[in-house]
């Protein structure tokens, strides 16, 4: 039984392995078919792109060949060939009728006209002398004119034609003979004008280059040295000029210099200041009140500057001993009043009995000047005014009101008077 079971198990395993191999082959076949389909699809797409590119190239070539310039050039050449084919047989028949030995003559005559016409085109392209070009044109006219006379004679003597038809044939052959060289010369004239337009552009560029080198000689020398130092073709003239400008001026923008940058900065700042909006509050009318000098009573009570100034003017209080019964006062120079500028005389209004109205504060220049008292005079007046005052009444405010002086002077006088009284009392004791 075990052998039968093992046999069946082996067969089942073999069948499973065969199924797995078959499934693997089918998967490989499917993958290969999928790859072939993908490759075929990619080939069709690539073929379609190639056909589209070829169609676009043909369209581009057709568009380039159908430009007005190309049509004119090719059309002129076609007409020139047709003119030669129409005029050459008549010349050949004319000379062969005279003698078969003259067969090369029409070929040489017609070929001379066209070769010389090509020489005119070459002379124009090489910008040769005008005399050379006009000499070639004269040769073209001579050859074409002789060929036209031959064709006119041949056409005018064709047998079997009426005189009018014979003359028409002769004129037609002569016109066709001259028509080809004339068209070729007109074509060459138009091409020369187009090249002259291009030359104008080149001349403008050359003129600009010369002017630039003349205006910026230092930059031009640096650019020339850069070009000569660099490998041939590795640096263009414009690149060398831009690099030389940056080396010489320090700016990467050709045409700009540090001075121009400073000027541009100042101009931009001035423009910004001019365009700044105006503040209405800062533009109010100023007060029309005239500033006048105030009296000493209107000034602040004391300031360090005033105290220091008056301390240099008035004598300091000195203790008086029994040997010095009085305060030694050194003589001080008197301070002259400040000069007043002369008042400009103006027309005075006529007197009126009507009382005068108040017109505001009187200007300082209109006030009467008062002589300034010296420190000695102030001290003498203070002694006189306070002779019967008790010590408690000798104050700075009292002295200021009695002498009508400044608070600083009043305090200095107060200290001096109190020192004198203290010295007197000490000496009496």
């Amino acid at each position: 039984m075990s052998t039968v079971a093992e046999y069946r198990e082996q067969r089942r395993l073999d069948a499973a392995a065969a199924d797995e191999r078959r499934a693997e082959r089918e998967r490989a076949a499917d993958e290969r078919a999928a790859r072939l389909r993908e490759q075929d699809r990619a080939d069709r797409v690539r073929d379609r792109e190639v056909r589209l590119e070829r169609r676009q190239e043909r369209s581009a070539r057709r568009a380039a060949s159908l430009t007005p310039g190309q049509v004119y050039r090719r059309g002129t050449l076609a007409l020139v060939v047709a003119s030669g084919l129409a005029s050459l047989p008549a010349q050949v028949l004319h000379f062969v009728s005279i003698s078969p030995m003259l067969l090369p003559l029409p070929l040489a005559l017609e070929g001379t006209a066209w070769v010389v016409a090509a020489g005119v085109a070459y002379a124009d392209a090489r910008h040769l002398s005008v005399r050379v070009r006009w000499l070639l044109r004269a040769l073209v006219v001579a050859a074409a004119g002789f060929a036209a006379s031959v064709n006119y004679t041949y056409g005018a003597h064709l047998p079997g034609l009426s005189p009018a038809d014979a003359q028409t044939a002769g004129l037609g052959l002569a016109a066709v003979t001259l028509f080809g060289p004339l068209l070729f010369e007109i074509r060459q004239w138009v091409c020369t004008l187009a090249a002259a337009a291009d030359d104008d552009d080149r001349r403008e560029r050359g003129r600009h280059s010369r002017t630039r080198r003349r205006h910026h000689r230092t930059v031009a020398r640096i650019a020339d040295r850069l070009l000569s130092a660099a490998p041939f073709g590795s640096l263009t003239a414009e690149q060398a000029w831009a690099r030389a400008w940056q080396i010489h001026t320090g700016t990467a923008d050709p045409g700009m210099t540090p001075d121009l940058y400073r000027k541009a900065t100042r101009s931009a700042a001035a423009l910004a200041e001019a365009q700044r909006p105006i503040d209405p509050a800062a533009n109010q009318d100023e007060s029309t009140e005239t500033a006048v000098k105030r009296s000493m009573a209107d000034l602040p009570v004391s300031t360090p500057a005033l105290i220091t100034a008056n301390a240099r003017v008035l004598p300091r209080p000195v203790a008086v001993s029994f040997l010095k019964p009085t305060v030694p006062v050194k003589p001080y120079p008197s301070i002259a009043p400040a000069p007043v500028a002369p008042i400009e005389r103006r027309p005075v209004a006529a007197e009126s009995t009507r009382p005068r109205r108040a017109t505001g504060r009187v200007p300082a220049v209109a006030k009467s000047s008062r002589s300034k008292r010296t420190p000695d005079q102030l001290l003498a007046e203070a002694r006189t005014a306070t002779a019967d005052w008790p010590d408690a009444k000798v104050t700075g405010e009292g002295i200021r009101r009695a002498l009508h002086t400044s608070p600083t002077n009043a305090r200095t006088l107060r200290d001096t008077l109190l020192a004198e009284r203290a010295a007197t009392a000490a000496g009496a004791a």
Side-chain angles (χ1 to χ4, degrees):
M1 294 295 294
S2 60
T3 303
V4 174
E6 291 176 357
Y7 175 73
R8 290 178 179 178
E9 182 64 21
Q10 185 62 37
R11 291 194 59 181
R12 186 182 65 79
L13 293 176
D14 294 341
D19 294 339
E20 185 176 356
R21 288 192 297 272
R22 186 171 53 255
E24 185 67 24
R25 288 194 300 271
E26 291 177 355
R27 280 196 303 271
D30 294 340
E31 291 177 358
R32 185 170 56 256
R35 285 196 301 270
L36 292 176
R37 287 194 301 270
E38 187 66 25
Q39 184 177 359
D40 184 60
R41 188 181 302 107
D43 292 341
R44 288 198 301 271
V45 171
R46 186 170 55 256
D47 293 341
R48 186 162 53 249
E49 291 177 354
V50 169
R51 288 195 299 271
L52 181 60
E53 290 178 359
R54 291 178 179 175
R55 190 179 301 113
Q56 291 176 353
E57 291 177 357
R58 287 195 299 270
S59 300
R61 287 195 299 269
R62 190 181 303 110
S65 63
L66 292 179
T67 58
Q70 293 293 337
V71 171
Y72 176 73
R73 292 187 182 92
R74 295 178 180 179
T76 303
L77 291 178
L79 291 176
V80 166
V81 171
S83 172
L85 293 178
S87 62
L88 186 60
Q91 298 179 48
V92 171
L93 292 176
H94 177 75
F95 284 104
V96 169
S97 63
I98 297 174
S99 173
M101 300 294 295
L102 299 178
L103 177 61
L105 187 59
L107 301 177
L109 184 63
E110 195 72 19
T112 300
W114 292 116
V115 169
V116 175
V120 173
Y122 178 76
D124 288 337
R126 301 292 294 179
H127 301 286
L128 299 181
S129 175
V130 178
R131 291 178 297 178
V132 174
R133 285 180 279 182
W134 279 109
L135 177 61
L136 295 175
R137 287 189 178 95
L139 293 177
V140 171
V141 171
F146 183 72
S149 64
V150 170
N151 285 340
Y152 177 77
T153 302
Y154 179 78
H157 294 84
L158 286 175
L161 297 178
S162 62
D165 294 339
Q167 186 177 4
T168 302
L171 291 176
L173 289 174
V176 166
T177 305
L178 293 175
F179 189 65
L182 179 62
L183 282 180
F184 190 82
E185 183 61 27
I186 293 175
R187 173 183 179 273
Q188 183 59 33
W189 179 54
V190 173
C191 294
T192 303
L193 292 179
D198 296 337
D199 291 340
D200 291 339
D201 189 18
R202 286 194 294 271
R203 282 195 294 270
E204 289 295 331
R205 288 196 296 270
R207 189 180 299 112
H208 172 264
S209 178
R210 291 190 297 272
T211 304
R212 185 169 67 172
R213 295 182 67 87
R214 186 174 65 255
H215 289 172
H216 311 284
R217 299 182 186 276
T218 305
V219 179
R221 287 195 295 270
I222 296 174
D224 292 341
R225 292 189 178 185
L226 291 176
L227 285 174
S228 63
F232 179 77
S234 63
L235 187 65
T236 63
E238 292 300 327
Q239 292 174 352
W241 185 270
R243 191 174 301 175
W245 186 272
Q246 187 172 7
I247 292 172
H248 180 62
T249 62
T251 61
D253 188 8
M256 293 299 295
T257 61
D259 293 337
L260 292 179
Y261 272 116
R262 283 193 292 269
K263 185 178 295 185
T265 303
R266 290 195 297 268
S267 301
L271 180 61
E273 181 67 21
Q275 292 179 347
R276 187 177 62 183
I278 300 175
D279 187 6
N283 205 27
Q284 294 178 353
D285 295 335
E286 297 182 354
S287 175
T288 58
E289 181 181 358
T290 304
V292 297
K293 293 183 179 179
R294 296 180 293 176
S295 64
M296 299 301 292
D298 297 334
L299 294 174
V301 176
S302 64
T303 58
L306 290 176
I307 293 174
T308 305
N310 286 286
R312 292 194 300 266
V313 175
L314 297 178
R316 294 182 179 179
V318 180
V320 182
S321 62
F322 63 93
L323 297 178
K324 296 180 179 180
T326 58
V327 178
V329 179
K330 296 182 180 180
Y332 286 90
S334 60
I335 301 175
V340 181
I343 303 175
E344 183 182 357
R345 295 183 176 275
R346 297 181 180 177
V348 181
E351 294 183 358
S352 175
T353 57
R354 186 172 57 187
R356 186 176 178 182
R357 296 178 298 172
T359 58
R361 292 187 177 182
V362 179
V365 294
K367 293 181 179 181
S368 60
S369 60
R370 180 181 178 182
S371 61
K372 191 173 183 181
R373 292 170 290 182
T374 63
D376 296 339
Q377 293 174 351
L378 285 174
L379 184 57
E381 292 180 5
R383 288 170 180 167
T384 303
T386 61
D388 55 350
W389 288 10
D391 292 345
K393 191 178 179 182
V394 180
T395 61
E397 182 64 22
I399 295 173
R400 186 187 67 80
R401 291 181 180 180
L403 300 182
H404 301 288
T405 184
S406 66
T408 305
N409 292 341
R411 288 191 293 271
T412 305
L413 292 172
R414 177 200 62 191
D415 297 338
T416 304
L417 293 175
L418 291 176
E420 289 178 352
R421 292 190 178 190
T424 304

